[in-house]
């Protein structure tokens, strides 16, 4: 059997399965490892619960066709299912080493630790739902709505290091907004955008080695943690959207911002 070209590491929400399915189709010599997703909502305040529930509903609608079409493909390519946090367990690390893929594409998993990073230098690449270094951490395509900085909504493909979304940047892209978009629809659009970016990176890697990258200047950006996302933040985002903030931004659609080779 030939050496595995691609291993896809994701969580198990519809958006992650879309990412795994599209890459699996594009790269036939590939496998998929699925880690259980983190709890989608912290519960508690009504606004927070409403926000996460609406995202789950939007995600289910957006990826409904993909879920139906790709069920058999994902079952065929599934190498292993693991619990949340299991990615860094010694048994899982050894399993991945045994597969010895030429490239590992990551999206939505828990934080990857040193053992796995050291085992695959230049081959472990993450799709971050945000524009690094400006927005790193959690909810980084939602916070730009709160900060009235929609130009910083986007996706980043970067090498994985020991930091949080801090590795060298390979490619980035920004979505085109429509007047009716909100945090939920843009989040789904961004997965499609980011999957395309990751596909380009994989093609480059398989054809000619590790793609070049741009070092991040983390002094420019902000790191957001899950505990910072409160009821007050959700209310302010909803107020911004209701006041026409997205509609005004969408009048002059931005093309994808690409850091290219």
């Amino acid at each position: 059997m030939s050496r595995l070209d691609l291993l896809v590491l994701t969580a198990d929400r519809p958006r992650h399965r879309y990412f795994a399915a599209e890459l699996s189709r594009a790269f036939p010599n590939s496998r998929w490892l699925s880690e259980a997703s983190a709890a989608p909502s912290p519960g508690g305040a009504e606004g927070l619960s409403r926000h996460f529930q609406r995202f789950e509903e939007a995600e289910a609608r957006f990826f409904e066709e993909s879920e139906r079409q790709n069920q058999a493909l994902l079952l065929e390519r599934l190498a292993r299912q693991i619990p949340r946090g299991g990615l860094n367990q010694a048994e899982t690390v050894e399993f991945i080493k045994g597969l010895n893929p030429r490239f590992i594409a990551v999206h939505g998993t828990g934080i990857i630790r040193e053992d796995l990073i050291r085992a695959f230098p230049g081959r472990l690449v993450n799709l971050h739902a945000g524009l690094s270094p400006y927005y790193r951490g959690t909810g980084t395509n939602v916070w730009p709505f709160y900060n009235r900085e929609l130009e910083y909504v986007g996706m980043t493909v970067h090498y994985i290091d020991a930091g949080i979304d801090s590795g060298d940047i390979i490619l980035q892209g920004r979505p085109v907004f429509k007047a009716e978009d909100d945090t939920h629809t843009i989040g789904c659009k961004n997965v499609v955008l980011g999957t395309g970016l990751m596909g380009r990176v994989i093609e480059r890697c398989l054809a000619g080695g590790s793609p070049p990258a741009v070092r991040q200047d983390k002094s420019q950006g902000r790191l957001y943690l899950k505990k910072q996302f409160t009821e007050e933040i959700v209310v302010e985002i909803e107020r911004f959207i209701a006041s026409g903030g997205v509609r005004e931004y969408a009048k002059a659609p931005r093309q994808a911002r690409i850091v290219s080779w």
Side-chain angles (χ1 to χ4, degrees):
M1 181 178 176
S2 63
R3 182 182 178 188
L4 194 68
D5 284 335
L6 171 66
L7 178 65
V8 182
L9 305 181
T10 74
D12 62 1
R13 298 289 305 167
R15 61 187 181 275
H16 306 125
R17 292 193 290 272
Y18 170 87
F19 177 81
E22 291 300 305
L23 294 182
S24 294
R25 181 176 292 104
F27 302 96
N29 185 22
S30 63
R31 301 294 300 277
W32 172 47
L33 191 151
S34 174
E35 181 185 50
S37 294
S41 171
E46 179 182 350
L48 282 175
S49 296
R50 181 176 65 247
H51 172 84
F52 287 105
Q53 179 62 35
R54 286 178 177 172
F55 179 72
E56 288 186 33
E57 292 168 356
E59 180 188 36
R61 288 193 303 271
F62 194 94
F63 295 109
E64 180 179 9
E65 185 66 18
S66 175
E67 292 277 84
R68 182 166 52 250
Q69 291 183 351
N70 293 315
Q71 184 176 13
L73 174 63
L74 290 176
L75 284 173
E76 175 190 328
R77 298 295 173 83
L78 183 63
R80 180 170 289 192
Q81 291 177 304
I82 58 175
R84 192 68 178 180
L87 198 54
N88 298 294
Q89 293 178 353
E91 179 185 359
T92 305
V93 172
E94 290 306 311
F95 177 75
I96 295 172
K97 287 180 180 178
L99 294 175
N100 193 26
R102 297 173 61 192
F103 189 97
I104 302 177
V106 181
H107 180 45
T109 69
I111 294 174
I112 291 178
R113 305 296 181 187
E114 286 287 350
D115 284 353
L116 202 50
I117 295 171
R118 286 197 302 267
F120 297 96
R123 289 189 276 162
L124 195 61
V125 174
N126 183 54
L127 175 61
H128 166 54
L131 283 186
S132 292
Y134 312 106
Y135 282 84
R136 296 180 295 115
T138 302
T140 44
N141 275 322
V142 176
W143 282 103
F145 284 76
Y146 176 76
N147 292 329
R148 276 58 169 174
E149 293 181 335
L150 297 185
E151 66 272 23
Y152 289 108
V153 172
M155 303 294 277
T156 300
V157 180
H158 66 89
Y159 289 111
I160 293 178
D161 63 11
I164 299 176
D165 306 320
S166 59
D168 292 355
I169 295 169
I170 305 170
L171 284 179
Q172 290 183 308
R174 295 191 304 204
V176 174
F177 277 76
K178 293 186 177 180
E180 65 272 19
D181 277 325
D182 57 20
T183 58
H184 311 311
T185 59
I186 282 295
C188 294
K189 286 182 177 182
N190 268 335
V191 173
V192 176
L193 168 67
T195 301
L197 293 175
M198 182 64 83
R200 288 180 56 188
V201 172
I202 297 169
E203 287 177 355
R204 173 64 183 264
C205 180
L206 296 181
S210 300
V214 177
R215 186 172 297 279
Q216 293 194 42
D217 178 4
K218 292 185 284 295
S219 67
Q220 296 185 51
R222 289 165 282 193
L223 175 65
Y224 287 96
L225 304 177
K226 188 174 182 179
K227 64 183 179 182
Q228 294 173 265
F229 194 66
T230 64
E231 175 89 1
E232 291 72 24
I233 302 300
V234 170
V235 169
E236 188 58 33
I237 289 172
E238 290 176 345
R239 184 180 295 121
F240 168 66
I241 295 172
S243 70
V246 174
R247 184 170 59 251
E248 288 302 310
Y249 183 79
K251 288 180 179 178
R254 274 66 172 174
Q255 296 300 314
R257 172 182 183 268
I258 301 293
V259 177
S260 192
W261 304 296

